[in-house]
């Protein structure tokens, strides 16, 4: 099975003599009978010197859907030669995947560079290509094993269950009165349970009362194993398919409770609709979020990944939120899985090796995700690789693939980490620089020599962290926490293991310690900056205070400021205005000379005596101390990200 199709077409091909050959071919195509459609479309293409664009499109799509990629290349290329870039991104994606599946990688890369004029999209793909190329030049991190329980039919969608594994399979031919799924001529899917560690264990049906006559597949469990979310077609009474007005029986996500080895209290989730499909549910480890795949309106491509909030009872609390353009593309994003703050999913449109590839993206928050990076070989191949899951502790796991050498259509594989030579155990504490107290849940990011994220860790209640660093590498550790500064430590390891490096302390500066509130304004905290009488030159005393501004801006490189300079009321209005403006611009020049980028200082203006803070206006006798309150320079924060950065989900 090329993928878990998100719907079933319920129409029938009424073959009557009045139909033309193309009408018959179209009917087969719409009924997912692509092999029969290919026969008729091929005849039409042969009979006509210039077949219609519809025939070329349907013939290309039919070959693509049957995994006959080399034949698909011919017809997608013909379509591209006729329409050029007007062919559309969806066809380009399929042509690229077909080329890569046919091992024509250079041609596929050239096509991508020619087609994409969107600089952001192209740069994203080039970054992904750079990462993938770097992994291909390294020793593979995993070994993969085709598992004994795979059948000659489609087996995929593994999920951990006690000491075993639950998976979807088309191996049973009895379902739905022996009917076959027209797309791949295989039985409809059922859920099975097995024990991969026991090669003699014969897979058994999972929860007999869960089974329907059509697709039952891809499930996820709550942490206690008592609540299950799973994918099924819309059904009506007597276990018959229920269709929408277009004749499609879409997929939905159901929730049920497991009691005495039976499924009870089955309900459809609130965001389901017969007008589109939802499937491939995946719970976050804390049970607060449910990720899933859908082709609902408003998405980016053929199928996107969404997320909803759940309460403690597993009820849906929010509308589905699309994960956005960092994750989703014009193609297919499917099979989400969350483990250790990383979202794993499969995509055929992010830069990969061909077909669906498995990607990983670090979760910074519910709405923020890092650039998805290809998991590389041997997890990915030139064919479809998907439904990836991994264990919490050892990092081993399972995935499905229809790559060459398998036993059936899709097979489930076990992957295990290749034992690397670890060089250095590096540990210590992340502390508040102002108070010395531990910072809980600080991020500790491990990056490689080209600044790619390798892994991410969190400090515990005592601010403690421990990282195992690989041998013969230039490692970068980046320490951060919302509301604090970011600190970087470089560690280069040698070829041989070293003694543990312990009790390393990293201090982060709290943002609030460097700023103060003045009404609605937020300013960098400084004492009055003194200038010599009638001058705007920076004095030694002024430098002491400006060092505080420099420290704040260097510690928090996201902030931008504007500089305001004020005088007291003594002297003429025009003179004070000119003098204060000169002092503001002198202050700006000083900060620029110390390496602050010009675009981080929005403006530098003097206001003379026009914004006094007290009653000491012209003609009012005041003490020197009162006048001093009006002689001030403000460094007002106009833009920041530091307080807006949210912690990654626990």
């Amino acid at each position: 099975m090329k993928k878990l199709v998100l719907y079933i077409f319920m129409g029938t091909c009424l073959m009557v003599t009045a139909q033309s050959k193309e009408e018959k071919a179209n009917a087969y195509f719409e009924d997912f009978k692509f092999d029969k459609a290919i026969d008729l479309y091929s005849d039409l293409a042969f009979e006509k010197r210039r077949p219609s664009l519809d025939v070329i499109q349907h013939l290309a799509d039919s070959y693509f859907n049957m995994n006959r990629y080399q034949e698909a290349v011919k017809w997608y290329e013909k379509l591209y030669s006729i329409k050029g870039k007007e062919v559309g991104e969806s066809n380009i994606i399929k042509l690229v995947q077909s080329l890569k599946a046919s091992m024509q990688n250079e041609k596929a890369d050239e096509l991508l560079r020619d087609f994409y004029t969107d600089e952001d999209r192209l740069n994203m793909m080039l970054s992904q290509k750079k990462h993938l190329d770097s992994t291909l030049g390294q020793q593979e991190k995993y070994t993969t094993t085709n598992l004994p329980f795979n059948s000659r039919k489609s087996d995929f969608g593994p999920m951990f269950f006690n000491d075993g594994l639950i998976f979807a399979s088309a191996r049973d031919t009895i379902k739905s009165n022996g009917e076959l799924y027209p797309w791949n001529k295989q039985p409809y899917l059922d859920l099975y349970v097995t024990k991969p560690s026991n090669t003699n264990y014969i897979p058994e049906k999972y929860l007999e009362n869960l089974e329907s006559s059509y697709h039952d597949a891809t499930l996820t469990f709550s942490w206690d194993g008592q609540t299950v979310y799973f994918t099924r077609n819309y059904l009506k009474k007597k276990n018959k398919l229920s269709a929408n007005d277009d004749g499609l029986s879409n997929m939905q996500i159901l929730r049920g409770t497991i009691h005495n080895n039976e499924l009870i209290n089955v309900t459809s989730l609130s965001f389901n609709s017969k007008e589109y499909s939802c499937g491939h549910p995946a719970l976050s480890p804390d049970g607060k979020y449910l990720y899933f795949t859908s082709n609902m309106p408003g998405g980016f491509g053929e199928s996107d990944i969404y997320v909803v909030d759940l309460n403690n009872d597993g009820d849906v609390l929010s509308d589905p939120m699309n994960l956005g353009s960092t994750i989703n593309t014009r193609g297919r994003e499917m099979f989400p899985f969350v483990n250790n703050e990383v979202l794993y999913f499969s995509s055929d449109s992010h830069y990969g090796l061909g077909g669906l590839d498995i990607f990983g993206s670090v979760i910074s928050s519910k709405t923020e995700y890092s650039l998805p990076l290809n998991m590389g070989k041997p997890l990915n191949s030139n064919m479809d690789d998907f439904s990836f899951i991994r264990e919490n502790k050892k990092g081993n796991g399972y995935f499905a693939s229809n790559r060459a050498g398998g036993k059936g259509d899709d097979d489930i594989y076990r992957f295990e980490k290749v034992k690397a030579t670890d060089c250095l155990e590096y540990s210590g504490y992340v502390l508040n620089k102002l108070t010395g107290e531990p910072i809980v849940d600080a991020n500790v990011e491990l990056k490689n020599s080209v600044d790619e994220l390798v892994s991410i860790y969190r400090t515990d209640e005592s601010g403690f962290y421990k990282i195992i660093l690989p041998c013969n590498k230039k490692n970068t550790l980046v320490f951060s926490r919302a509301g604090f500064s970011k600190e970087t430590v470089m560690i280069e390891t040698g070829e041989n293991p070293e003694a543990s490096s312990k009790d390393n302390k990293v201090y982060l500066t709290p943002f609030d310690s460097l700023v103060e509130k003045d009404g609605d304004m937020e300013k960098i905290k400084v004492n009055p900056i003194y200038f010599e009488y009638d001058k705007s030159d920076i004095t030694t005393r002024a430098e002491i205070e400006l060092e505080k501004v420099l420290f704040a801006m260097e510690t928090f490189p996201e902030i931008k400021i504007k500089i305001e300079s004020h005088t007291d009321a003594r002297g003429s209005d025009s003179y004070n205005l000119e003098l204060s403006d000169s002092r503001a611009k002198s202050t700006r020049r000083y900060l620029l000379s110390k390496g602050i980028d010009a675009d981080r200082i929005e403006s530098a203006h003097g206001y003379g005596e026009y914004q006094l803070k007290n009653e000491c206006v012209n003609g009012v006798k005041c003490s020197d101390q009162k006048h001093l309150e009006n002689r001030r320079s403000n460094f007002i924060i106009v833009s920041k990200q530091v307080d807006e950065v949210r912690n990654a989900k626990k």
Side-chain angles (χ1 to χ4, degrees), residues 225-381:
Q226 299 304 302
T227 302
V228 61
Y229 299 82
F230 63 99
T231 307
R232 173 182 286 175
N233 285 104
Y234 275 95
L235 301 175
K236 52 189 177 182
K237 291 182 179 179
K238 296 183 181 181
N239 213 9
K240 299 293 184 182
L241 287 172
S242 177
N244 62 19
D245 293 340
D246 295 325
L248 299 177
S249 176
N250 283 307
M251 307 296 286
Q252 60 178 322
I253 299 175
L254 302 175
R255 187 188 72 188
T257 303
I258 300 172
H259 180 69
N260 292 333
N261 207 35
E262 285 195 347
L263 186 67
I264 61 174
N265 301 326
V266 178
T267 58
S268 177
L269 299 188
S270 59
F271 53 76
N272 289 316
S273 170
K274 287 186 178 182
E275 300 309 311
Y276 52 81
S277 282
C278 298
H280 311 161
L283 282 169
S284 61
D286 59 11
K288 294 181 179 179
Y289 303 98
L290 181 71
Y291 295 83
F292 63 96
T293 303
S294 179
N295 60 355
M296 66 176 63
F300 287 86
E302 292 187 36
S303 59
D304 285 6
I305 297 176
Y306 293 79
V307 64
V308 292
D309 298 337
L310 302 178
N311 64 15
N312 292 335
D313 295 325
D315 297 320
V316 176
L317 293 177
S318 66
D319 292 332
M321 186 195 77
N322 190 294
L323 296 196
S325 59
T326 300
I327 300 297
N328 293 314
T329 69
R330 290 293 297 272
R332 296 176 296 162
E333 278 66 51
M334 314 173 79
F335 297 98
F337 179 76
V338 178
N339 175 265
N340 289 335
E341 313 297 341
V342 178
L343 170 69
Y344 298 97
F345 63 97
S346 288
S347 171
D348 64 1
S349 300
H350 288 290
Y351 189 88
L353 297 173
L356 290 168
D357 271 16
I358 301 163
F359 291 82
S361 172
V362 177
I363 303 171
S364 296
S365 71
K366 181 185 172 185
T367 59
E368 297 176 4
Y369 301 84
S370 69
L371 175 71
L373 297 179
N374 193 291
M375 296 292 288
K377 291 181 178 180
L379 300 183
N380 288 318
S381 68

Side-chain angles (χ1 to χ4, degrees), residues 181-244:
Y181 187 35
W183 185 298
N184 59 0
K185 295 186 177 179
Q186 292 188 28
Y188 290 95
L189 296 165
D190 249 342
L191 291 166
Y192 290 79
V193 62
T194 190
K195 295 183 178 179
S197 59
N198 185 349
T199 57
N200 297 319
Y201 191 94
I202 300 175
E204 302 172 342
K205 290 281 184 71
Y206 173 65
L207 298 181
E208 289 289 345
N209 77 322
L210 180 148
E211 180 184 355
S212 72
S213 294
Y214 294 92
H215 284 316
D216 298 296
T218 55
L219 79 173
T220 186
F221 292 97
S222 60
W223 66 270
D224 59 3
Q226 299 304 302
T227 302
V228 61
Y229 299 82
F230 63 99
T231 307
R232 173 182 286 175
N233 285 104
Y234 275 95
L235 301 175
K236 52 189 177 182
K237 291 182 179 179
K238 296 183 181 181
N239 213 9
K240 299 293 184 182
L241 287 172
S242 177
N244 62 19

